[in-house]
Amino acid sequence: MVDMFASCTLLSVCMCLPDYVCVSRRGLRLGMAKVTQVDFPPKQSVSYSKETQTPTCTQTHTQAKPGSPSEEEEEEEMAEPKPAEESQEEKADQEEKQEEVAPKDLTEEEKMQLLHSEEFMAFFDRGSRIVERALSERVDVCFDYSGRDLEDKEGEMQAGAKMSLNRAFSDERWSKNRVVTCLDWSPQYPELLVASYNNNEDAPHEPDGVALVWNMKFKKTTPEYTFHCQSAVMSAAFARFHPNLVVGGTYSGQIVLWDNRSNKRTPVQRTPLSASAHTHPVYCVNVVGTQNAHNLISISTDGKMCSWSLDMLSQPQDSLELVFKQSKAVAVTSMAFPLGDVNNFVVGSEDGSVYTACRHGSKAGISDVFEGHHGPVTGLSCHSAGGPVDFSHLFISASFDWTVKLWTTKSTRPLYSFEDSCDYVYDVMWSPTHPALFACVDGSGRLDLWNLNNDTEVPSASVCVNGSPALNRVRWAHSGREIATGDSDGQVLVYDVGEQICVPKADEWTRLVHTLVEINENRDEGEELAAQRLVA
Amino acid sequence: IATFLGRKLQPRPQNEVEETLKRIQGQKGVQGIIIVNAEGIPIKTTLDNSSTVQYAGLIHQLVMKARSTVRDIDPQNDLTFLRVRSKKNEIMIAPDKDYFLIVIQNPSD
């Protein structure tokens, strides 16, 4: 009897199923349903028993509408086969379902609808409450009092972090929309850093030149001191033997002096804007000498070099025109003094050449030209890590031609060219403690650390600044453990360098000697080959 | 369209959800919040797209497994909260019938 009924209902199911399926499912599944129907009858007969009927809601349905029992029976059958069918389908076509579900993504509209639905609000209410409670619990059940945990952590962090961002300095009012033009660390207070900025094009009423003194020691996010002046500041430095003074070289050619003892934000002393001083932008300022005998040296882009006494900025003590071969004025963009030298120095110019020069003596002025760069020289640095071997004849230069070149004052051809960058290299600096380590920054936001003893082809450590702004300046802290970079968005970022990179081992100096010998040999070989090719 | 799944939509101020999310995000050490629906599709997130998709997929699987484990042991029981504590951070999951709320926190921050 049950079987007969089952077969009747099977027929009805066959006829009715398509309609129901169309309404609630897509046509694709229609095909699959027909296939599984073959297995249906036995299952159906089993499920069609009073016991299983009771928990389902269709029981009340049949009782409520006795007038159309066949319809109700059909509906019951609908309810029964549907879930059975689903489970069948799920088992058989789980893969297909997964395929369907995985790529199906919700559109923004659907997401918004979901987010506005009642059940979502209820869920979110409950869920967020629990999560907030859990978040507020600061109990660390895994804390190990023996300290083993911390040791592991330190080891990992050392191994992993070659360079990690320590601080980011920027000021909403004074550094936004300005480019960082120069950086300098204070020699007396290692936590102080001065950054100079050029003008803010969006704020013509604000002073064009800003210099901010930042403090690394405290968590304060505002500058220690804020200084202004009327012209964009292109270079800045702490006056080496005067802890209260900050020197700035500006776009107008004026050199300004700020004093943090005064309450004013404007300079306490200014050089005159006359032909005796500078009339072109001053990109290089430096205090050289000793405590008792020091001068402020400044060079402007028209090749004029002036030396000043910090007590009297009304006129230069000495001035010198830097001309090459008595005719070509050198457009100086960068300057560097070798360690311990107050007379001889190197300058980089806009035409791509580096020149050595000296201040005093019969041959005062430009001595030699070092040609090699194909674009303006943006940064120069003389070797300054003192140690058992003297490398003060080495210097490096960065240029718009995407390269950093290593030179020695003993030869006018570059020793080596570092060509890993894909953008203008804006600045370069030797580490003050490690003899073979230097840092360079380029326009794509990369800060690279090169270790000559490790590898001369690729940087030993590299980090890309968030947002890839052009990095304009790089300065090692005097300890050699931190690097500050200034970018085109007015941000100053200070990175901690991992010990394994920045702390020199005892044999670094001797290794560098060997490295230099290798570099020299390679260079001579390279030149021989080039010469042979030319001949052939 | 005023109905979704046959239910009428209640227009609630979206601010509530946003405010709560901001509040949670502002708590100490919170790295990110993701809300995932029952199928594992993220519907709201404070992280970037690739991380969100990764977390949503992996955590969905984990929650399904955890839930089925709890239910297998005792069918009357159900999963209410899941916390995954790791060396570097902690992932808290508040599951529900239709959604999960995932919060990633770095407790040492």
Side-chain angles (χ1 to χ4, degrees), chain A residues 101 104-106 111 113-121 123-124 126-128 130-132 134-136 138 140 142 156, chain B residues 4 10 12 14 17 20 23-24 35 37 39 41-44 81 83 85 87 92 94 96 98-101 103 105 107:
Chain A
V101 171
K104 174 193 142 198
D105 205 1
L106 297 175
K111 285 187 192 175
Q113 280 180 338
L114 272 181
L115 287 173
H116 281 100
S117 62
E118 274 265 16
E119 6 168 77
F120 178 81
M121 296 307 292
F123 144 76
F124 191 72
R126 279 194 308 271
S128 60
I130 303 177
V131 156
E132 281 195 276
L135 279 174
S136 315
R138 312 296 301 158
D140 181 3
C142 307
E156 271 172 29
Chain B
F4 181 65
Q10 291 279 6
R12 284 276 183 96
Q14 189 60 11
V17 173
T20 312
R23 204 173 55 232
I24 299 178
I35 300 180
N37 75 351
E39 287 156 2
I41 301 171
I43 48 178
K44 195 122 176 82
F81 197 66
R83 265 178 116 149
R85 183 78 218 270
K87 268 200 277 193
M92 286 176 245
D96 189 75
D98 303 310
Y99 305 93
F100 325 138
L101 172 63
V103 177
Q105 181 199 31

Side-chain angles (χ1 to χ4, degrees), chain A residues 255-310:
Chain A
I255 314 250
V256 293
L257 197 64
W258 289 286
D259 193 329
N260 67 0
R261 290 169 294 200
S262 78
N263 290 323
K264 295 190 300 174
R265 287 180 165 188
T266 49
V268 294
Q269 273 198 71
R270 269 175 272 243
T271 62
L273 273 172
S274 70
S276 60
H278 295 290
T279 49
H280 280 69
V282 176
Y283 278 100
C284 328
V285 285
N286 209 353
V287 175
V288 294
T290 58
Q291 174 77 44
N292 295 323
H294 56 267
N295 285 112
L296 169 67
I297 309 286
S298 62
I299 311 186
S300 56
T301 54
D302 61 351
K304 183 143 186 213
M305 183 181 90
C306 295
S307 73
W308 313 78
S309 157
L310 282 168

Side-chain angles (χ1 to χ4, degrees), chain A residues 384-424:
Chain A
S384 50
V389 186
D390 177 37
F391 292 111
S392 55
H393 58 96
L394 291 178
F395 62 94
I396 37 176
S397 58
S399 154
F400 272 16
D401 67 355
W402 298 8
T403 65
V404 172
K405 292 203 197 303
L406 173 67
W407 311 78
T408 171
T409 49
K410 302 173 191 165
S411 160
T412 54
R413 288 162 303 128
L415 273 181
Y416 193 83
S417 183
F418 301 90
E419 295 175 9
D420 191 63
S421 180
C422 304
D423 205 332
Y424 297 161

